[in-house]
């Protein structure tokens, strides 16, 4: 049985709790507790009922039961103060009060993994033509060529994003539909767009065939479908032709813009381009080994084309990704190398918004050059006002500079451009941090708790959650989070806290360190 409430799917057969496309990690006992409460939501469940059902009648202290309930609430975005889903009735018991839909598991096991079957919130259409490019299907008969088809889709998304008259959904949200049989009407509702592009790529030797079709999401009507053939050496020309055809069909007004948009080839070395595509695909796995492999491929791309801005940017981001989880072996040397790569990304990627935004992130976080970084990311946004990555980086930089309301505004812009982003946890974490520094501790706790669930324990997010709880006087909960954090990072101490958050305002840093101190982080 699957129970649907808010944007969660609680699947008792698979013993999974999902929020959107993300699996929420919860302990088996907490899962059983939620299961019992949801199944018995029509009545008040007593403490004795829970002890008999979950602990099989063993003696359980009130504190232990309260802890499990708090963990269950956190897992589903609730809290002891809000009690929007799990309500405590003093001296009576507990009841699950959220609106629940029941759905039997589909007979088709593959369909059962599709968490997008139940209704989602419909996003309002922007005030200009809006479009989502779904990941192109790899028709080469070789799954190892997926990265090439993905790269084609990504480059078309980037090219369309540069039309200021269009609203283009970011790659990370479009790619949540990869490998799924999609209903374009549903895609239109979930992403809030008027048009959807589907396509395929077939690569055979040096020959490439790209097919594409543009569909009006609300009606499902095909506005055009076409096929483009060429040599691998002409791959960028093929991408330009597909992009222009989409743009012209969506809105004839864009024809005048096409002449003003410089046709750019990121590199003349196709082997270097191939390495960057592979690096991007590998890096998204997110673990340490994937990060090292992506870094190796980025360096190889630089060796093949020393003037390739995107390769320097990818390498810099890979080294930057080592900081928070303490993957750096020689922090001083690796930090200097990341900064060197970021500066070269600026030099050779001056017309590439992703390279500029990546360089801005690295210079802001690792070099502490916040003003220069903010100027860089502004250039990136100017180049491509549809870049969710650039807007998100801008949000983080404004946060560190102390412009908290502006940080929230920019991060919300990024989230609208990429409403189904797998990196949503990072975006939500930034919103939590901005609210924390604004003194909105309860809002910050709610957002940061959600981010913790999505990250399953990202260190930076755990630190922030401990601070949010501590400043509300919830010292027991803050201490529990702090102990979890120290189990993952035993060497973390208060004097080194500032190196992870390059905060310009002294009062922001003081608020952060005081929260960690109250939570029990040692000197």
């Amino acid at each position: 049985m699957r129970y649907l409430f808010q944007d969660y799917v609680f699947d008792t057969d698979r013993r999974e709790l999902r929020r959107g496309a993300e699996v929420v990690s919860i302990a088996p006992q907490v899962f059983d507790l939620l299961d019992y409460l949801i199944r018995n939501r029509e009545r008040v469940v007593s403490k004795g009922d829970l002890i008999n059902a979950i602990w099989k009648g063993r003696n359980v202290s009130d504190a232990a039961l309260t802890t499990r309930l708090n963990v269950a609430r956190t897992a589903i975005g609730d809290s002891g103060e809000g009690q929007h889903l799990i309500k405590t009735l003093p001296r009576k018991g507990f009841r699950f009060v959220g609106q629940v839909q029941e759905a039997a598991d589909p007979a088709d096991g593959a369909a059962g993994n599709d968490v997008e079957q139940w209704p989602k919130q419909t996003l309002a259409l922007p005030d200009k033509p809006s479009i989502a490019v779904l990941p192109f299907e790899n028709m080469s008969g070789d799954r190892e060529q997926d990265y090439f088809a993905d790269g084609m889709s990504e480059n078309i998304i980037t090219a369309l994003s540069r039309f200021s008259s269009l609203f283009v959904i970011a790659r990370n949200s479009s790619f949540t539909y990869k490998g799924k049989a999609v209903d374009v009407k549903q895609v239109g509702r979930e992403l809030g767009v008027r048009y959807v592009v589907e396509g395929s790529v077939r690569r055979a030797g040096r020959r490439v065939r790209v097919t594409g079709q543009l569909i009006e999401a609300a009606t499902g009507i095909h506005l055009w479908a076409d096929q483009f053939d060429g040599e691998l050496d002409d791959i960028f020309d093929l991408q330009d032709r597909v992009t222009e055809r989409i743009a012209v069909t969506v809105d004839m007004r864009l024809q005048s813009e096409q002449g003003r948009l410089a046709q750019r080839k990121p590199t003349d070395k196709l082997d270097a381009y191939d390495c960057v595509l592979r690096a991007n695909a590998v890096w998204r796995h997110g673990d340490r080994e994937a990060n090292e492999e992506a870094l190796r491929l980025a360096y190889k791309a630089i060796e093949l084309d020393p003037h390739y801005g995107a390769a320097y940017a990818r390498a810099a981001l890979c080294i930057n990704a080592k900081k928070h989880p303490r993957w750096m072996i020689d922090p001083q040397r690796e930090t200097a190398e990341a900064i060197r790569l970021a500066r070269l990304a600026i030099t050779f990627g001056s017309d590439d918004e992703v390279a500029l935004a990546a360089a801005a992130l690295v210079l802001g976080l690792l070099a502490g050059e916040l003003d220069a970084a903010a100027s860089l990311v502004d250039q990136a946004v100017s180049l491509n006002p549809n870049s969710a990555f650039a807007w998100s980086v801008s949000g983080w930089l404004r946060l560190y500079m102390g412009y908290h309301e502006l940080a929230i505004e920019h991060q919300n812009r990024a989230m609208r451009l990429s409403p189904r982003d797998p990196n949503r946890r990072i975006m939500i974490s930034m919103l939590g941090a901005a609210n924390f520094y604004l003194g909105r501790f309860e809002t910050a706790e709610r957002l940061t708790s959600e981010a913790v669930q999505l990250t399953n324990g990202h260190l930076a997010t755990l630190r922030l959650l401990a601070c949010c709880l501590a400043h509300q006087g919830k010292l027991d909960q803050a201490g529990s989070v702090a102990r979890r954090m120290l189990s993952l990072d035993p060497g973390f101490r208060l004097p080194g806290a500032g190196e992870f958050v390059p905060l310009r305002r002294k009062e922001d840093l003081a608020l952060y360190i005081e929260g960690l101190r109250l939570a029990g982080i040692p000197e």
Side-chain angles (χ1 to χ4, degrees):
M1 178 65 73
R2 293 180 307 138
Y3 298 98
L4 318 176
F5 55 92
Q6 292 190 349
D7 51 355
Y8 290 88
V9 176
F10 188 82
D11 192 323
T12 58
D13 293 330
R14 294 181 176 83
R15 291 187 64 80
E16 279 186 349
L17 174 66
R18 285 181 172 269
R19 186 182 188 279
E22 299 282 344
V23 176
V24 179
S25 178
I26 54 175
Q29 201 172 66
V30 177
F31 187 95
D32 292 339
L33 178 62
L34 277 172
D35 186 10
Y36 189 82
L37 288 171
I38 293 172
R39 287 181 189 273
N40 294 277
R41 61 190 180 278
E42 299 303 325
R43 65 182 180 90
V44 176
V45 173
S46 70
K47 174 186 171 184
D49 291 334
L50 287 176
I51 291 173
N52 288 330
I54 312 303
W55 286 274
K56 310 305 180 188
R58 297 194 304 272
N59 284 330
V60 177
S61 68
D62 288 346
L65 178 57
T66 299
T67 298
R68 296 297 188 279
L69 283 166
N70 285 336
V71 172
R73 283 184 170 121
T74 299
I76 57 177
D78 201 2
S79 67
E81 289 76 19
Q83 298 193 12
H84 302 300
L85 295 175
I86 299 176
K87 190 172 184 63
T88 299
L89 292 91
R91 296 181 297 278
K92 294 184 181 296
F94 315 92
R95 186 178 165 212
F96 193 92
V97 295
Q99 294 294 315
V100 178
Q101 293 177 276
E102 294 185 7
D105 238 4
D108 182 353
N113 291 324
D114 185 0
V115 299
E116 313 305 333
Q117 296 176 60
W118 53 292
K120 296 279 186 174
Q121 179 183 2
T122 300
L123 294 170
L125 291 175
D127 58 1
K128 54 185 174 180
S130 49
I131 191 166
V133 179
L134 300 184
F136 279 26
E137 187 178 355
N138 169 26
M139 300 294 290
S140 303
D142 177 6
R143 303 322 302 174
E144 294 297 319
Q145 292 297 319
D146 275 3
Y147 78 93
F148 187 80
D150 290 350
M152 174 71 73
S153 312
E154 292 172 24
N155 288 343
I156 291 171
I157 291 170
T158 299
L160 284 172
S161 295
R162 291 187 161 220
F163 288 104
S164 60
S165 298
L166 282 177
F167 181 97
V168 183
I169 292 294
R171 177 259 182 220
N172 281 357
S173 284
S174 294
F175 269 62
T176 60
Y177 297 95
K178 183 176 178 178
K180 299 178 181 178
V182 298
D183 176 353
V184 293
K185 295 181 181 179
Q186 181 181 347
V187 172
R189 290 192 300 270
E190 291 177 355
L191 298 182
V193 294
R194 192 179 302 276
Y195 305 103
V196 174
V197 175
E198 294 181 323
S200 65
V201 179
R202 185 184 299 275
R203 177 178 171 183
R206 305 296 296 178
R207 296 288 298 171
V208 179
R209 168 170 291 176
V210 181
T211 62
Q213 54 187 5
L214 179 69
I215 307 165
E216 187 176 55
T219 63
I221 294 174
H222 287 62
L223 302 179
W224 69 262
D226 210 341
Q227 176 177 297
F228 305 84
D229 293 300
E231 298 289 330
L232 187 59
D233 293 340
D234 302 323
I235 187 65
F236 302 119
D237 177 61
L238 277 174
Q239 291 171 0
D240 289 343
R241 284 161 58 194
V242 175
T243 302
E244 289 173 7
R245 182 65 187 275
I246 295 168
V248 171
T249 306
V250 168
D251 190 346
M252 296 301 290
R253 291 176 303 162
L254 298 179
Q255 292 183 76
S256 61
E257 283 195 38
Q258 291 175 33
R260 297 197 300 272
L261 289 173
Q263 295 292 331
R264 62 188 182 100
K265 289 187 178 182
T267 175
D268 290 324
K269 306 291 194 306
L270 289 177
D271 288 345
Y273 170 72
D274 192 78
C275 282
V276 169
L277 290 187
R278 290 178 185 271
N280 292 342
V282 169
W283 186 78
R284 292 187 179 101
H285 292 297
D287 55 39
R288 187 172 188 171
E289 292 73 20
N291 193 65
E292 289 300 326
E293 176 63 9
L295 181 59
R296 184 191 69 79
L297 287 165
Y299 274 127
K300 184 176 179 182
I302 291 169
E303 181 182 342
L304 292 167
D305 183 356
H307 299 97
Y308 191 5
Y312 288 105
R314 171 49 61 206
L317 285 176
C318 287
I319 297 177
N320 181 74
K322 297 182 179 185
K323 184 176 178 66
H324 277 288
R326 294 183 187 268
W327 291 344
M328 289 184 176
I329 297 172
D330 184 344
Q332 185 174 356
R333 180 189 64 78
E334 291 177 81
T335 296
E337 173 65 357
I339 294 170
R340 181 188 76 86
L341 291 165
R343 298 198 193 288
L344 289 169
I346 298 167
T347 300
F348 298 117
S350 60
D351 63 344
D352 182 339
E353 68 279 359
V354 174
L356 292 181
L361 183 63
V362 171
L363 293 179
L365 285 176
L366 299 186
E369 299 176 5
L370 292 175
D371 290 319
S375 178
L376 271 177
V377 82
D378 286 346
Q379 291 180 47
V381 168
S382 178
L383 277 172
N384 185 348
N386 287 298
S387 173
F389 176 63
W391 281 109
S392 185
V393 169
S394 182
W396 279 103
L397 292 173
R398 267 57 191 204
L399 172 78
Y400 296 137
M401 296 172 78
Y403 304 132
H404 305 129
E405 295 288 5
L406 186 61
I408 292 171
E409 178 185 330
H410 287 193
Q411 200 63 246
N412 281 332
R413 179 74 175 269
M415 293 173 74
R416 177 60 185 91
L417 285 163
S418 189
R420 290 167 54 91
D421 203 305
N423 290 321
R424 178 182 173 84
R425 55 185 173 79
I426 298 174
M427 298 173 173
I428 293 174
S429 181
M430 196 237 77
L431 293 177
N435 278 281
F436 172 75
Y437 294 119
L438 286 166
R440 303 167 186 164
F441 300 131
E442 186 174 351
T443 300
E445 180 198 344
R446 176 176 56 79
L447 290 164
T448 309
S449 295
E450 181 180 355
V452 166
Q453 291 299 324
L454 293 173
T455 59
N456 195 23
H458 185 257
L459 281 169
T461 314
L462 286 172
R463 294 179 193 124
L464 180 60
L465 178 58
C467 290
C468 294
L469 292 165
H471 278 290
Q472 293 180 81
K474 302 177 181 179
L475 298 184
D476 288 344
Q477 291 173 257
S480 176
V481 174
R483 288 189 293 275
R484 178 182 175 190
M485 184 178 70
L486 288 171
S487 72
L488 297 170
D489 186 7
F492 184 71
R493 296 293 183 271
L494 282 182
E499 70 176 277
F500 292 100
V501 282
L503 299 169
R504 169 170 289 175
R505 299 196 332 156
K506 292 181 180 178
E507 55 266 47
D508 288 348
L509 182 58
L511 188 72
Y512 181 69
I513 291 177
E514 177 63 9
L516 292 173
R517 186 190 67 77
L518 290 170
I521 299 299
E523 295 283 352

